[in-house]
Amino acid sequence: MFGLKTKLFGQELRAHRQETGGMRGAGKTTKPSGLATGLVAGTMVATAMGWRLVEAIAKGDMVLTFDRGMQPVRAITRGVHWDRTTPCPKLLWPLKVPAGALGNQDAMTLLPEQCVMVESDTADMLFGDPFTLLNGADLAGFRAIERAAPDCVLDVIQLHFDDDEVVFANAGALVFCPSLRVINMAELLAARPDTAPYTPLPADEAAMLIECLVDEDAVSITPSPGPAGPLQYAACA
């Protein structure tokens, strides 16, 4: 449960690296308009001192990670999602994630290139691992997650560890945090053969998985006790 298996696509090992600046689709500019990934200010992160706002976390603080327990934050990158000097392209609109959609207790904002981990039996059947990494943009339309134009400047914080990690956000969501160092995967796997890279599903496989999860939700959503209680997701994630 606490480790991603190595995934082979066409016998080629694919490691995931997220950019620390510059946005996909934002054009080739020497000065990026904002951060492509990271956690929006206001997101709560699990730390050794309990749940803390991501913007309050400092270098050296211990953060709870999915695979390796408490790990120290080695560096922090701060910036904004979009500087608002020009309208934000629709491709880069952030996603509004309702409470419970990704295991998050409270509603949260997700950047379109931020990766999140989703657990499901369907992923285990399709890809041999119940835990899959998905780009935020691939989740649009799933469990009422929707794109929305930013109505203010979003402060963004990236937490960096010794290795790529997945951390807990908003009491249940699992979000990816890249290390700053460039990883030579061949050398890493030779030194630590049990290490599996965090690898997001390509868009076509992500779409297939989301379609299956939507079908599962359609037959698994049951009303909570009470005549007007909110719907609860019972199948996945």
Side-chain angles (χ1 to χ4, degrees), residues 4-18:
L4 288 176
K5 296 177 182 177
T6 301
K7 295 179 177 64
L8 292 174
F9 295 95
Q11 301 303 312
E12 179 185 0
L13 185 63
R14 303 188 305 111
H16 177 54
R17 301 296 305 159
Q18 284 185 292

Side-chain angles (χ1 to χ4, degrees), residues 6 8 20 23 76 90 111 137 146 160 210 227:
T6 301
L8 292 174
T20 57
M23 294 201 198
I76 297 177
K90 192 170 183 179
L111 297 185
E146 60 181 1
H160 306 289
I210 292 297

Side-chain angles (χ1 to χ4, degrees), residues 77-176:
T77 302
R78 300 178 186 271
V80 296
H81 163 250
W82 194 257
D83 58 18
R84 301 195 75 188
T85 55
T86 58
C88 181
K90 192 170 183 179
L91 178 68
L92 299 177
W93 284 6
L95 296 97
K96 301 298 183 183
V97 182
L102 298 175
N104 49 306
Q105 180 173 300
D106 302 310
M108 61 188 294
T109 299
L110 185 70
L111 297 185
E113 294 183 29
Q114 173 61 44
C115 282
V116 296
M117 186 184 290
V118 176
E119 178 187 5
S120 69
D121 292 337
T122 297
D124 196 15
M125 291 186 293
L126 292 175
F127 309 117
D129 196 322
F131 298 100
T132 50
L133 207 62
L134 301 172
N135 284 298
D138 294 329
L139 295 166
F142 175 58
R143 294 181 179 172
I145 297 172
E146 60 181 1
R147 305 288 284 267
D151 55 8
C152 63
V153 174
L154 298 177
D155 292 321
V156 179
I157 298 90
Q158 293 179 340
L159 305 178
H160 306 289
F161 303 86
D162 288 326
D163 295 300
D164 291 353
E165 301 287 358
V166 169
V167 303
F168 296 81
N170 283 26
L174 295 166
V175 295
F176 176 75

Side-chain angles (χ1 to χ4, degrees), residues 22-60:
M23 294 201 198
R24 178 181 60 191
K28 296 181 179 179
T29 60
T30 56
K31 294 184 179 180
S33 297
L35 292 178
T37 64
L39 302 181
V40 175
T43 302
M44 302 295 289
V45 175
T47 76
M49 294 181 286
W51 291 98
R52 299 186 66 200
L53 291 169
V54 65
E55 60 267 32
I57 295 174
K59 182 179 177 180

